[in-house]
Amino acid sequence: MKVVFTGGGTAGHAMVNTILIPLLKKENAELVYIGSKEGIEKKMMASYPYLSYFSIQTGKLRRYFSLKNVTDIFRIIIGFFQAYFILRKEEVQLVYSSGGYVAVPVVWAAYLQGIPVILRETDYSIGLANRLCLPCSKDLFLTFFETDVADYDITSYKEGMIIRPELIQMRDESILKPTSSKPICLVMGGSNGAEKINKVIWDNLEKLTKDYVIVHITGKGKKNAHYLNSESYQQVEFIEEIGKFYAKADIVIGRSGSNVVSECLLLGKKMICIPLSSTQSRGEQTLNANFAQKYGNAIIIDNQELDGKRLMTAISEIRKMPINDMYRIEEVDLNQRINKHLFFIQSKALTSNIK
């Protein structure tokens, strides 16, 4: 059985693939990844030596006028032909796409060759890339069960909120060693960091560290040398083993991409969500945050209204909120959910007419 994974552009689009890939390898599957040359997905897949990685050209269709929309159309066309010949050469049985613009030419090329495709939507609303791919597949995993699919011809779709099992396994571990008994706030702004969140933390650090321990993930290349680590403030650019930080965090502060929302919901963590505004995105982070507020432990701060006073108030308010364990999951249940994903992938691949 040979399976191609695709998806990228952001860590959110590739993270679920990092859960499924090693488990499929244990089932003796041959695994291929088609991604972009410079995308974060390439770095994420570098840890799997048994995985063949192929880069293709990719383009983005923007919702505003830009000359890049014209040039990117040609990049997508080139990417389509590259993906077509990779799929043909590799003789795969299935394509699993977790979204992002790099996935579009791969899914189209698979469809034209009669290769079954499974899609996954990472966010609450279906993104443009997946909307372009849906005519090529009727199988869609949803991260959020409320996602509206009424307008699409979908014959099978499932709730697909899964996280890495090690995040649960690390609940009793920690690399945080504050000597203070103050509550711990884990601040993160996504894989690229968030300059506005970083600035608010630094501008209000004295007030924040008076009552809290701040663990601040700034994003690569965005550490501030003016602020030294102490008992109440720890600054890092990037964390590989985020589970050990989640383990001791009382409150998680940051954007509301699908990864962090899923992880906090399933781990039962309190969140302060600061979603990107609709001018910076298609509004998916706001919808993710609304879901977290409805089913978990979350307070939302409008990105345009974020300042030190609003952040301090939100931290104080969420500390008083009762824990909502509605979405919290134990390891045995998480593994069952992941195994259902694997079974569906294997069944689809093994019944494929592609030899």
Side-chain angles (χ1 to χ4, degrees):
M1 177 179 67
K2 184 178 280 191
V3 178
V4 162
F5 282 85
T6 188
T10 64
H13 285 303
M15 187 61 71
V16 72
N17 296 339
T18 68
I19 301 171
L20 300 172
I21 284 169
L23 296 175
L24 281 171
K25 179 61 179 176
K26 290 181 180 179
E27 300 295 325
N28 297 316
E30 294 182 70
L31 301 167
V32 175
Y33 206 102
I34 302 178
S36 60
K37 185 177 181 180
E38 304 294 339
I40 193 172
E41 67 273 15
K42 185 174 184 178
K43 297 176 183 176
M44 293 171 71
M45 299 307 144
S47 10
Y48 307 110
Y50 49 79
L51 184 74
S52 300
Y53 189 95
F54 294 93
S55 301
I56 64 169
Q57 292 285 317
T58 183
K60 180 179 180 180
L61 298 178
R62 297 160 185 82
R63 293 170 177 79
Y64 53 87
F65 175 77
S66 171
L67 290 177
K68 288 184 177 181
N69 282 336
V70 178
T71 58
D72 277 9
I73 288 175
F74 292 99
R75 291 168 61 88
I76 293 169
I77 293 171
I78 293 170
F80 167 79
F81 283 106
Q82 290 174 321
Y84 186 94
F85 288 111
I86 291 168
L87 292 173
R88 188 166 184 174
K89 178 184 176 183
E90 292 297 316
E91 299 180 332
V92 301
Q93 277 74 53
L94 177 77
V95 168
Y96 185 96
S97 167
S98 55
Y101 290 99
V102 70
V104 176
V106 182
V107 170
W108 288 351
Y111 178 72
L112 285 183
Q113 294 181 57
I115 301 171
V117 174
I118 297 174
L119 303 175
R120 180 178 186 272
E121 178 53 59
T122 59
D123 290 303
Y124 186 95
S125 60
I126 297 179
L128 177 58
N130 264 342
R131 293 205 301 272
L132 292 171
C133 291
L134 276 170
C136 303
S137 175
K138 295 184 183 297
D139 297 306
L140 174 67
F141 280 99
L142 299 177
T143 300
F144 301 93
F145 76 91
E146 287 186 345
T147 298
D148 185 7
V149 294
D151 294 334
Y152 305 100
D153 183 19
I154 304 296
T155 56
S156 60
Y157 55 94
K158 303 99 185 147
E159 184 180 357
M161 188 175 285
I162 58 176
I163 59 174
R164 291 165 288 159
E166 57 264 32
L167 296 182
I168 293 179
Q169 296 162 6
M170 290 177 183
R171 277 178 180 163
D172 297 326
E173 301 181 44
S174 178
I175 57 176
L176 303 178
K177 300 184 181 300
T179 57
S180 170
S181 60
K182 295 183 287 190
I184 298 172
C185 296
L186 175 60
V187 182
M188 47 190 184
S191 53
N192 295 318
E195 291 184 12
K196 186 166 186 177
I197 294 175
N198 288 348
K199 188 175 186 306
V200 168
I201 294 297
W202 290 321
D203 287 351
N204 297 274
L205 195 56
E206 186 176 348
K207 293 178 182 177
L208 287 165
T209 53
K210 182 180 178 181
D211 297 310
Y212 308 101
V213 172
I214 305 297
V215 181
H216 187 186
I217 307 174
T218 64
K220 287 191 175 181
K222 296 184 179 179
K223 280 181 70 172
N224 192 326
H226 294 291
Y227 300 96
L228 301 178
N229 285 358
S230 66
E231 290 183 359
S232 295
Y233 182 67
Q234 296 183 33
Q235 182 181 195
V236 293
E237 291 187 354
F238 179 75
I239 295 173
E240 292 285 352
E241 296 182 342
I242 189 67
K244 292 183 179 180
F245 282 75
Y246 275 139
K248 294 299 181 182
D250 297 288
I251 301 166
V252 177
I253 302 169
R255 297 300 186 200
S256 34
S258 61
N259 269 353
V260 68
V261 167
S262 296
E263 289 166 356
C264 287
L265 281 171
L266 297 184
L267 293 172
K269 292 294 175 180
K270 291 186 174 183
M271 292 171 272
I272 295 177
C273 298
I274 310 165
L276 288 169
S277 66
S278 57
T279 60
Q280 298 170 289
S281 68
R282 61 182 173 86
E284 72 278 5
Q285 287 203 2
T286 298
L287 295 172
N288 295 346
N290 289 340
F291 187 93
Q293 188 177 57
K294 184 176 180 180
Y295 293 106
N297 308 275
I299 288 177
I300 301 172
I301 300 178
D302 187 291
N303 190 54
Q304 303 301 319
E305 298 175 2
L306 176 64
D307 58 24
K309 182 178 179 181
R310 184 70 186 92
L311 181 61
M312 293 288 291
T313 300
I315 295 173
S316 178
E317 288 176 355
I318 202 164
R319 284 192 65 196
K320 299 172 186 175
M321 287 173 56
I323 294 290
N324 179 0
D325 280 338
M326 178 178 182
Y327 252 76
R328 182 182 168 100
I329 197 168
E330 296 302 326
E331 187 177 357
V332 61
D333 299 314
L334 175 62
N335 286 332
Q336 287 177 356
R337 189 177 292 182
I338 292 172
N339 286 334
K340 287 181 181 178
H341 281 62
L342 293 174
F343 179 77
F344 188 80
I345 292 169
Q346 291 171 304
S347 300
K348 197 78 175 177
L350 293 173
T351 55
S352 167
N353 293 324
I354 305 296
K355 303 297 182 183

